[in-house]
């Protein structure tokens, strides 16, 4: 408002001054706000001991080849960073006035690598063992309001345990890494991982994200709790925890506070990383994820390339380690015999795994995890490239893919504005063999790696010595370790030492001369110069001028033609198929057919197989397009069914940690690579009932499989069959043969065993009555199925009193014991078994191998059969199963059982016991084409299975087996020669070692047998 006493001119002047003052004040205010913002940004809670040194620096890296990501490369470009962040990257990037300019002509700039599977900054996990005499531990000893099982550590957060480790960080930076997801690798559920950089700063400065993933494994780590002690136990624990966590969301009052389940539920919002040890574990983990709607990120074991189709079907992102197996020293034939063909083929093919994943379009990251020496990381990446991995995919797998997998691509993974200034400066394309990482910048801080190679002095130089002599030098070697030679008629090597800008030369003028020209000087932009002495000792001045670049040798990460490798087999064994066999129509002509039906034995009879089923039985059948097999003089029987087997099981046949483990499932841990599948096919076995061991009164759920050699775990399983479960009685379950330390777990007496059953089924009955909304219990689910005749019992048994006891318990709870297996005192109670409705699976003539079998007799099977008990002969042994036809033949001798009835004991009777006699066990139109063509009477010790057919597929052919043996010998020789060649080239080798295979029996607690190791080797395979 204009004032009355003001003169117009003065008012105008005042307004001008006021405008100027206000403008000045505005500038001061803006400056003050910027300054305050700067101070606020620079402030931190940690006090400074000394003079404050805020680092708000700006750098511009010019004239570089910038690889922003695997798809974008910029030539002659500039990267600008400030305060640990990228400001700009591109050919037209503006250089701030306050920037420190770094000329990167001839250099490459890449995003630093990201490793999403690391334990950087975490303390080593200490696996505490209580020792041989330590008593069992049944509950967690973790103090606090946590879950019942010590291996579930979902409440653990890596960020709380993280401490920087400059020594380890430096090693990782040298390998090219700038960021890692770090986690404590401990437990079945490992808690959360944190995203941290490898900067040499305080912990609070390097943590990028506190919780970036949750981790899991099939390894209980430091847990001293007994449960679980098998792989099927790990799977059951995970499944039960998922169910418990879902139930806990309803805040059940009786549970109280469970911090482990709280954390488990909270962690489900994060990416889920599951570490496995091999291809089958990867598929097992994915199956758990599918059950609970979780897509795991799977950290691979290294052999997943062997089943790439199944791996692709998981739809998972994988984390691939590069710890390729080392070459084996096979020069000594005595040592070489211990190295299996499988082991040698894996050595040859393992580096092809990343390429196989790329070819199959499976997303993957690369990790330095599992490497014994981090210095080998880049070399192994280059080796993977040599084996077919593209350089673009390799870079993606180390930058963008890990960043997007953890949902942190806004922070790291490429060179874009706003992201952390984590980048590499290299001497050339990063995956070329001779390329060096010169510097690794992390959060805007420079960490030299091969700084001495920044100035590459290699090339041809003209050296002038006063007064007028000249030499031509060839400086070669590597950028960080140059070599020098004088070029004359002969190339005469000299010596060069470079220290920063200082250079020292010692140059011979004649070959084998005794005196050298010795020079020292400085490396300048326009050449080298300095002083020295000639061969006579006279002082000289000298200078060297760069003449030209020496002709470059071919240098690429991919060297020439693809690496020559042998074929991939299914399974990955010498006896594996190079292509999966296909079902075909087959006509077996003019054989003696043991039908196991009312027709009995049919002489000179044809059997037609079509679509995997038996289509016709008769004489002079028309073949059509079917494959014809001449059965003249041969015998055709139904395939042998082993009612009690422990083959093809991974990492433990017993979950022996508790008295009742009905929640574990053999079907979760099938091992399709087990060569015993093939061996038993050679003995005419077509199906096996895989049982849990006999360590507890109520063991785990069993799995019936067909011996479909080369199929995966799901392909082995017989579908739509009545599920079974293993029970056990006797010495094993009361732990009388487990050693003195095992005197804590109930039961310890045969009386206690009975009470375990009564208690378990009482709990199951009460559980069933609870109705909807209850906490689902996998253990009790299985027991309820028994009560409702939806699951059936196979019970390990010896002594008549216990057999009677279990039948009494079953009668009390209104269910039936389906099968007593072993049942070596069955002859004493056969009438009671028949009345109860129980069958028997027994040995032909085992006795006197422990106290509770002292009353066993070889007439046991015949007596039970004559009483009317459905009786089968089984193996419980991988080796015996190869000759179950002979075991059946013994029953003719011991008890005079007719031949056809004896053969039924390994064919139709086990099918009846397993409730699959409607499709297996006899030769009848409509049944599965599971057949064996024998060279002789199948009960004869001279009979050989010439062909074994499963579902219309010839899974074993004795003529083809002879060809396979020749193939194995040739492939072994090829690989041995290749290994010898590696040793000759100077490649480090490891000593050949004996690697036993696991062969399980009922009493095996983990690997090996209580009464002997029970281990064999498959060196030839």
């Amino acid at each position: 408002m204009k004032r009355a006493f003001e003169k117009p001119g003065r008012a105008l002047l005042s307004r001008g001054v006021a405008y100027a003052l206000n403008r000045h004040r505005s500038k001061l205010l803006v400056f003050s706000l910027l300054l305050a913002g700067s101070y606020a940004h620079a402030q931190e809670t940690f006090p400074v001991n000394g003079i404050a040194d805020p680092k708000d620096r700006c750098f511009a890296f010019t004239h570089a080849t910038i690889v922003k990501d695997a798809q974008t490369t910029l030539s002659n470009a500039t990267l600008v960073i400030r305060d640990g962040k990228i400001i700009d990257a591109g050919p037209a990037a503006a250089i701030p006035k306050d920037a420190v300019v770094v000329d990167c002509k001839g250099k490459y700039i890449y995003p630093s690598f990201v490793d999403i599977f690391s334990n950087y900054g975490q303390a080593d996990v200490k696996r505490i063992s209580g020792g041989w005499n330590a008593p069992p531990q049944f509950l967690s000893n973790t103090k606090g309001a946590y879950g019942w099982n010590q291996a579930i550590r979902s409440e653990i957060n890596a960020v709380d345990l993280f401490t920087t480790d400059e020594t380890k960080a430096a090693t990782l930076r040298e390998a090219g890494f700038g960021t890692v997801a770090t986690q404590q690798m401990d437990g079945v559920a490992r808690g959360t991982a944190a995203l941290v950089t490898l900067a040499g700063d305080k912990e609070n400065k390097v943590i990028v994200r506190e919780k970036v993933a949750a981790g899991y494994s099939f390894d209980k780590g430091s847990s001293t709790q007994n449960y679980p002690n098998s792989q099927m136990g790990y799977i059951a624990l995970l499944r039960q925890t998922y169910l418990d966590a879902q139930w806990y969301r309803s805040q059940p009052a009786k549970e109280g506070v469970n911090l482990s389940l709280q954390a488990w539920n909270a962690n489900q919002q994060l990416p889920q990383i599951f570490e496995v040890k091999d291809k089958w574990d990867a598929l097992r983990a994915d199956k758990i994820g599918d059950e609970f709607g979780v897509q795991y990120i799977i950290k691979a074991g290294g052999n997943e390339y062997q089943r790439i189709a199944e791996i692709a079907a998981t739809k998972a992102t994988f984390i691939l380690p590069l710890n390729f197996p080392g070459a084996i020293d096979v020069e000594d034939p005595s040592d070489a015999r211990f190295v299996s063909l499988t082991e040698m083929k894996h050595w040859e093919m393992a580096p092809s795994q990343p390429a196989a994943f790329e070819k199959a379009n499976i997303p993957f990251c690369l990790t330095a995890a599992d490497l014994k020496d981090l210095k080998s990381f880049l070399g192994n990446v280059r080796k993977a490239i040599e084996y077919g991995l593209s350089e673009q995919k390799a870079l993606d797998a180390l930058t963008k893919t890990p960043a997007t997998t953890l949902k942190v691509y806004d922070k790291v993974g490429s060179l874009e504005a706003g992201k952390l200034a984590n980048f590499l400066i290299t001497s050339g394309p990063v995956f070329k063999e001779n390329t060096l990482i010169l510097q690794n910048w992390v959060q805007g801080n420079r960490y030299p790696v091969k700084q001495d190679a920044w100035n590459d002095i290699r090339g041809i130089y003209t050296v002038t010595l006063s007064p007028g002599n000249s030499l031509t030098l060839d400086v070669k070697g590597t950028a960080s370790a140059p070599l020098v030679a004088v070029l004359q008629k002969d190339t005469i090597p000299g010596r060069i030492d470079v220290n920063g800008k200082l250079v020292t030369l010692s140059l011979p003028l004649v070959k084998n001369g005794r005196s050298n020209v010795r020079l020292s000087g400085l490396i300048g932009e326009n050449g080298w110069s300095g002083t020295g002495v000639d061969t006579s000792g006279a002082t000289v001045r000298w200078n060297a001028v760069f003449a030209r670049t020496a002709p470059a040798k071919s240098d690429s990460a991919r060297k020439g033609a693809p690496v020559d490798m042998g074929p991939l087999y299914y399974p990955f064994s010498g006896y594996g198929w190079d292509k999966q066999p296909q079902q075909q129509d087959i006509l077996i002509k003019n054989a003696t057919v043991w039908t196991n039906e009312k027709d009995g034995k049919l002489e000179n009879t044809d059997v037609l197989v079509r679509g995997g089923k038996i289509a016709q039985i008769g004489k002079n059948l028309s073949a059509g397009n079917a494959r014809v097999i001449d059965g003249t003089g041969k015998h055709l029987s139904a395939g042998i069914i082993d009612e009690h087997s422990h083959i093809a099981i991974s990492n433990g046949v017993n979950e022996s940690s508790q008295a009742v483990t009905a929640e574990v499932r053999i079907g979760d841990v099938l091992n399709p690579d087990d060569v015993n599948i093939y061996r038993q096919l050679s003995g005419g076995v077509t199906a096996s009932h895989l049982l849990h061991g006999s360590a507890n009164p109520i063991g785990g759920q069993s799995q019936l499989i067909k011996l479909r050699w080369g199929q995966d775990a799901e392909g082995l399983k017989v579908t739509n069959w009545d599920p079974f479960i293993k029970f056990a009685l006797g010495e094993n379950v009361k732990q009388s043969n487990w050693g003195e330390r095992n005197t804590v777990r109930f039961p310890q007496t045969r009386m206690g065993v009975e009470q375990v059953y009564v208690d378990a089924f009482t709990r199951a009955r009460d559980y069933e009555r609870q109705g909807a909304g209850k906490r689902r219990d996998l253990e009790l689910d299985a027991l309820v199925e028994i009560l409702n005749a939806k699951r059936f019992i196979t019970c390990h048994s010896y002594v008549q009193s216990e057999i009677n006891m279990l039948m009494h318990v079953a009668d009390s709870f209104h269910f039936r014991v389906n099968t007593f297996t072993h049942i070596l005192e069955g002859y004493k109670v056969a009438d009671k078994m028949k009345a109860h409705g129980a069958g028997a699976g027994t040995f032909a003539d085992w006795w006197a191998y422990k106290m509770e079998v002292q009353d066993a007799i070889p007439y046991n099977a015949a007596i039970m059969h004559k009483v009317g008990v459905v009786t089968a002969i089984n193996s419980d042994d991988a080796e015996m199963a190869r000759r179950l036809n002979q075991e059946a033949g013994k029953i003719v001798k011991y008890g005079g059982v007719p031949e056809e009835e004896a053969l039924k004991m390994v064919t139709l009777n086990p099918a009846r016991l397993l409730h699959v006699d409607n499709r297996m066990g006899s030769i009848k139109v409509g049944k599965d084409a599971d057949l064996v063509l024998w060279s002789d009477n199948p009960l004869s010790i001279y009979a050989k299975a010439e062909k074994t057919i499963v579902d219309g597929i010839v899974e074993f052919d004795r003529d083809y087996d002879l060809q396979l043996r020749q193939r194995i010998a040739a492939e072994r020789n090829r690989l041995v020669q290749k290994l010898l060649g590696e040793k000759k080239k100077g490649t480090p080798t490891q000593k050949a070692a004996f690697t036993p295979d696991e062969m399980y029996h009922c009493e095996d607690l983990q690997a090996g047998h209580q009464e002997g190791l029970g281990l064999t080797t498959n060196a030839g395979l």
Side-chain angles (χ1 to χ4, degrees):
M1 178 180 292
K2 180 180 176 182
R3 295 179 181 176
F5 57 83
E6 286 182 339
K7 293 183 179 179
R10 186 172 179 179
L12 184 62
L13 177 63
S14 298
R15 285 195 296 270
V17 172
Y19 173 77
L21 288 173
N22 287 335
R23 186 177 180 189
H24 182 63
R25 289 192 189 101
S26 297
K27 289 183 177 180
L28 287 173
L29 179 61
V30 171
F31 178 75
S32 299
L33 288 173
L34 288 173
L35 189 61
S38 176
Y39 283 143
H41 183 70
Q43 284 181 327
E44 57 180 77
T45 57
F46 290 87
V48 176
N49 181 21
I51 306 301
D53 181 23
K55 296 179 180 179
D56 185 12
R57 296 177 296 177
C58 180
F59 293 89
F61 302 86
T62 62
H63 306 120
T65 299
I66 297 179
V67 183
K68 293 185 70 173
D69 54 48
Q71 291 74 37
T72 311
T73 300
L74 307 174
S75 299
N76 194 26
T78 297
L79 174 69
V80 181
I81 68 171
R82 182 186 294 276
D83 195 22
K85 297 285 185 67
I86 297 171
I87 303 300
D88 198 1
I95 301 175
K97 292 181 180 180
D98 62 337
V100 176
V101 178
V102 181
D103 186 359
C104 292
K105 185 177 181 181
K107 311 295 189 297
Y108 283 68
I109 299 180
Y110 289 86
S112 291
F113 302 153
V114 180
D115 192 339
I116 66 173
F117 194 83
S118 174
N119 64 349
Y120 165 69
Q122 303 292 320
D124 291 336
V125 175
K126 295 181 179 179
R127 295 176 180 264
I128 302 170
S129 174
W132 176 250
N133 293 319
Q137 178 190 325
F138 296 111
L139 293 176
S140 172
N141 60 12
T142 302
K143 305 301 181 184
Y146 301 106
W148 75 275
N149 195 279
Q150 198 174 332
I152 299 298
R153 309 177 79 249
S154 45
E155 69 277 2
I156 298 298
N157 298 310
V159 70
D160 298 331
L161 308 173
F162 173 69
T163 57
T164 57
D165 181 343
E166 179 54 28
T167 301
K168 181 72 176 294
T171 307
L172 286 163
R173 290 194 301 260
E174 289 172 6
F177 292 98
T179 312
V180 300
T182 179
Q183 183 167 42
Q184 189 174 70
M185 309 295 185
D186 187 12
V188 173
R190 294 170 164 179
T192 63
L195 188 72
V196 302
T197 73
L198 299 172
D201 211 332
K202 294 190 291 287
E203 287 79 8
N204 59 305
K205 295 293 186 68
V206 303
I207 295 170
V208 179
R209 191 163 293 175
E210 296 173 42
K211 296 181 180 180
V212 76
Y216 307 87
S217 77
F218 292 135
D219 185 346
K220 64 182 181 182
S222 64
S223 172
T224 52
Q225 190 172 347
N226 283 44
Y227 186 90
N229 66 3
S230 68
Q231 183 148 27
M232 55 185 159
Y234 296 141
I235 293 172
L237 177 60
L238 280 165
R239 295 179 67 235
Q240 186 63 63
T241 305
Y242 272 110
L243 293 171
D244 287 348
Q246 292 171 2
W247 168 77
Y248 187 74
R249 289 194 186 107
S250 66
Q251 298 181 335
K254 288 187 177 180
E255 180 70 9
V257 174
N258 189 320
L259 297 177
S260 299
L261 292 181
Q262 279 186 21
W264 178 287
N265 283 330
N267 295 348
Q268 297 308 302
Q269 306 305 315
L270 300 169
Q272 309 285 295
I273 297 177
F274 205 117
E275 181 185 16
V276 302
K277 300 300 183 185
D278 75 349
K279 57 185 184 288
W280 302 125
D281 276 359
L283 299 178
R284 291 169 188 136
D286 184 68
K287 189 177 178 184
I288 296 171
D290 290 345
E291 182 178 358
F292 295 98
V294 177
Q295 181 61 74
Y296 290 124
I297 302 156
I298 299 176
K299 188 269 180 181
N303 65 359
E304 286 75 10
Y305 66 91
Q306 297 168 11
R307 287 284 176 170
I308 203 68
E310 291 93 333
I311 293 297
T314 67
K315 305 299 182 184
T317 296
F318 279 76
I319 305 169
L320 303 185
L322 299 176
N323 59 328
F324 306 138
I328 308 161
D329 187 351
V330 292
E331 191 163 15
D332 185 337
S334 297
D335 289 341
R337 65 194 174 95
F338 290 126
V339 184
S340 69
L341 178 60
T342 298
E343 190 175 357
M344 287 191 285
K345 285 186 73 66
H346 180 54
W347 162 77
E348 179 183 55
M349 302 187 79
S352 70
Q353 170 139 307
F357 272 67
E358 180 181 7
K359 185 177 180 181
N361 293 316
I362 304 171
F364 65 92
C365 316
L366 297 177
T367 178
D370 304 331
L371 285 173
K372 293 180 180 178
D373 184 1
L374 276 169
K375 293 179 180 178
S376 66
F377 176 75
L378 268 177
N380 282 5
V381 175
R382 290 163 181 153
K383 189 170 188 177
I385 292 171
E386 182 183 349
Y387 276 67
L389 175 65
S390 72
E391 295 185 31
Q392 178 176 321
K393 181 58 72 172
L395 184 59
D396 249 340
L398 286 167
T399 53
K400 182 177 182 179
T401 303
T404 54
T405 299
L406 292 188
K407 303 176 182 178
V408 293
Y409 193 54
D410 60 323
K411 302 289 185 183
V412 293
S414 67
L415 300 179
E416 296 176 279
K419 295 188 176 183
L420 294 180
N422 290 7
F423 57 93
L424 307 173
I425 302 179
T426 67
S427 62
V430 69
F431 297 127
K432 279 194 172 182
E433 185 176 359
N434 294 325
T435 292
L436 300 174
I437 296 176
L438 306 173
Q439 298 173 358
N440 189 342
W441 288 68
V442 182
Q443 289 184 272
N445 296 309
R446 180 177 70 94
Y447 297 94
V449 178
K450 293 289 185 183
Q451 186 64 38
D452 290 346
W454 183 272
N455 295 309
D456 190 348
I457 63 172
R458 292 176 296 176
I460 306 298
Y461 290 80
T462 299
V463 178
T464 301
L465 304 172
S466 63
N469 295 327
S470 65
L471 302 171
T472 301
L473 300 185
D474 181 7
V475 181
K476 48 189 178 179
T478 66
S480 59
L483 303 173
V484 68
V486 179
L487 297 182
Q488 296 180 354
K489 290 182 180 180
D490 295 319
T491 299
I492 308 171
R495 192 174 74 248
I496 184 172
D497 181 54
V498 178
N499 185 2
K501 295 291 185 179
L502 300 177
V503 61
T504 303
L505 297 162
S506 179
L507 307 172
L509 299 183
V510 295
K511 194 172 184 179
N512 300 322
R514 294 186 177 182
S515 58
N516 294 347
V517 174
R518 292 173 290 125
L519 309 174
S520 63
L522 294 173
I523 299 175
E525 291 186 6
N526 299 317
W528 308 353
S529 62
T531 60
V533 293
D534 62 16
T535 55
S536 66
T539 301
V540 295
R541 298 186 64 83
W542 67 278
N543 64 76
V545 178
F546 182 81
R548 66 184 184 278
T549 302
K553 293 182 179 179
S554 175
D555 179 20
S556 173
R558 193 187 305 275
K559 298 179 180 178
V563 176
D564 182 29
M565 295 185 294
L568 192 61
Y569 298 144
Y570 304 93
F572 199 68
S573 160
Y575 287 103
W577 306 99
D578 49 11
K579 290 183 179 179
Q580 292 279 8
Q582 300 299 310
Q583 200 174 74
Q584 56 184 309
D585 293 347
I586 300 171
L587 178 61
I588 302 168
K589 293 187 67 65
N590 205 35
T592 298
V593 179
W594 297 57
T595 67
N596 285 349
E597 296 288 339
K598 62 181 180 181
D599 293 331
K601 276 196 295 186
L602 302 175
E603 302 290 340
N604 303 317
T605 299
D606 303 345
V607 175
L608 178 64
V609 172
R610 181 174 289 125
K613 301 288 184 180
I614 297 170
Q616 282 184 272
I617 304 168
K619 296 182 183 293
N620 302 316
L621 298 181
S622 174
N625 293 324
R627 172 187 175 185
V628 177
I629 298 175
D630 185 5
T632 303
K634 297 177 173 53
H635 295 247
L636 185 71
S637 77
I640 290 174
I641 301 171
D642 190 353
E643 184 271 335
H644 184 139
S645 176
H646 300 296
I647 66 167
I649 296 173
S650 292
N651 300 315
V653 72
N654 271 299
E655 179 50 60
S656 60
S657 55
Q658 296 178 346
V660 180
T661 58
E663 72 279 5
V664 304
R665 307 183 298 191
I666 291 293
D668 289 333
V669 291
L670 298 184
N671 175 18
D673 286 345
D674 187 355
V675 72
N676 286 300
I677 296 173
Y678 183 79
R679 288 172 175 166
Q680 291 184 16
L681 283 165
S682 75
V685 181
T686 58
S688 295
H689 187 210
L690 307 187
L691 292 170
H692 186 277
S694 56
N696 21 27
I698 300 179
Q701 302 168 35
S702 57
Q703 180 63 54
L704 179 63
I705 67 168
K706 291 278 192 84
L707 303 195
R708 300 172 179 129
W709 183 234
Q711 293 292 322
D712 62 12
E714 296 304 311
L716 293 177
K717 292 178 181 178
V718 174
T719 57
N720 300 318
W721 72 294
D722 290 341
F724 277 67
I725 189 170
K726 176 72 174 295
F727 279 29
L729 303 165
E731 294 178 8
N732 296 352
V733 301
K734 67 187 185 72
Q735 300 179 291
S736 60
N737 52 6
W738 288 29
E740 294 182 1
R741 77 184 187 96
N742 286 288
T743 58
V744 178
R745 193 196 81 179
F746 185 84
Q748 291 289 305
T749 66
R750 284 179 163 87
M751 295 180 291
V753 174
E754 180 179 11
Q755 294 311 305
V756 167
Y757 292 132
V758 171
D759 174 71
F761 285 108
T762 300
R763 288 187 293 114
R765 193 166 53 192
D766 292 344
Y767 169 76
E768 185 179 25
R769 290 170 180 164
Q770 291 176 26
K774 65 191 174 193
R775 169 186 172 269
R776 187 179 167 198
D777 188 312
L778 294 175
E779 173 191 302
L780 295 178
D781 281 348
L783 298 181
V784 168
E785 289 176 342
I786 295 171
L787 292 174
N788 294 327
K790 294 181 178 179
R791 184 172 296 278
F792 299 89
I793 296 169
T794 296
C795 185
H796 165 112
S797 55
Y798 289 108
V799 178
Q800 64 168 331
S801 59
E802 293 184 298
I803 298 165
N804 284 330
M805 174 271 289
L806 184 56
M807 288 192 291
H808 173 69
V809 170
D811 291 339
S812 300
F813 285 91
H814 309 293
F815 67 86
R816 179 173 63 89
V817 179
N818 188 90
T819 308
F820 284 100
T821 189
H822 302 327
I823 192 70
L824 295 188
E825 290 190 19
Y827 66 93
K828 297 181 181 181
V829 290
D831 54 342
K832 294 181 179 179
M833 290 171 60
K834 181 181 178 182
H836 178 75
T842 189
F843 300 127
D845 58 352
W846 283 30
W847 63 80
Y849 55 90
K850 60 178 178 176
M851 283 298 297
E852 62 184 349
V853 301
Q854 60 183 352
D855 283 355
I857 60 173
Y859 300 93
N860 182 48
I863 292 172
M864 290 190 290
H865 169 72
K866 289 174 181 177
V867 171
V869 175
V870 177
T871 303
I873 303 298
N874 57 37
S875 75
D876 189 21
D877 179 81
E879 185 64 25
M880 180 187 287
R882 300 170 67 182
R883 52 181 185 277
L884 276 174
N885 62 310
Q886 296 178 21
E887 297 298 303
K890 292 177 182 178
I891 308 306
V892 179
K893 172 181 174 61
Y894 296 117
V897 174
E899 285 189 356
E900 290 181 51
E901 293 301 313
L903 184 63
K904 288 179 184 178
M905 290 186 179
V906 293
T907 52
L908 184 59
N909 287 2
R912 293 172 63 188
L913 292 176
L914 294 169
H915 305 182
V916 291
D917 53 307
N918 63 326
R919 48 179 160 158
M920 300 182 211
S922 65
I923 299 177
K924 181 180 179 180
V925 172
K927 283 195 172 186
D928 293 353
D930 299 342
L931 304 167
V932 186
L933 187 64
W934 302 91
S935 63
D936 208 324
N937 181 319
L939 300 179
S940 168
I941 62 170
Y942 300 107
K944 295 180 180 178
E946 295 192 347
K947 289 180 175 57
T948 303
I949 301 169
V950 181
D951 295 323
I953 298 174
V954 180
E955 295 283 359
F956 174 80
D957 185 312
R958 196 159 294 276
D959 292 334
Y960 182 60
D961 177 76
L962 295 176
Q963 297 176 32
L964 287 180
R965 296 183 195 188
Q966 295 176 357
R967 186 185 77 177
I968 288 169
E971 186 72 350
R972 277 189 64 85
N973 182 62
R974 181 186 71 81
L975 287 164
V976 165
Q977 296 304 316
K978 191 170 185 178
L979 285 164
L980 292 174
E982 289 296 311
K983 183 178 180 180
K984 189 175 181 180
K985 288 191 298 185
T987 302
T989 59
Q990 54 189 331
K991 186 174 176 59
F994 171 69
T995 304
D997 287 335
E998 295 177 332
M999 292 178 65
Y1000 292 122
H1001 304 80
C1002 261
E1003 300 178 11
D1004 294 340
L1005 300 184
Q1006 289 181 337
H1009 195 278
Q1010 292 187 108
E1011 298 178 355
L1013 286 177
L1015 301 174
T1016 63
T1017 181
N1018 293 318
L1021 306 182

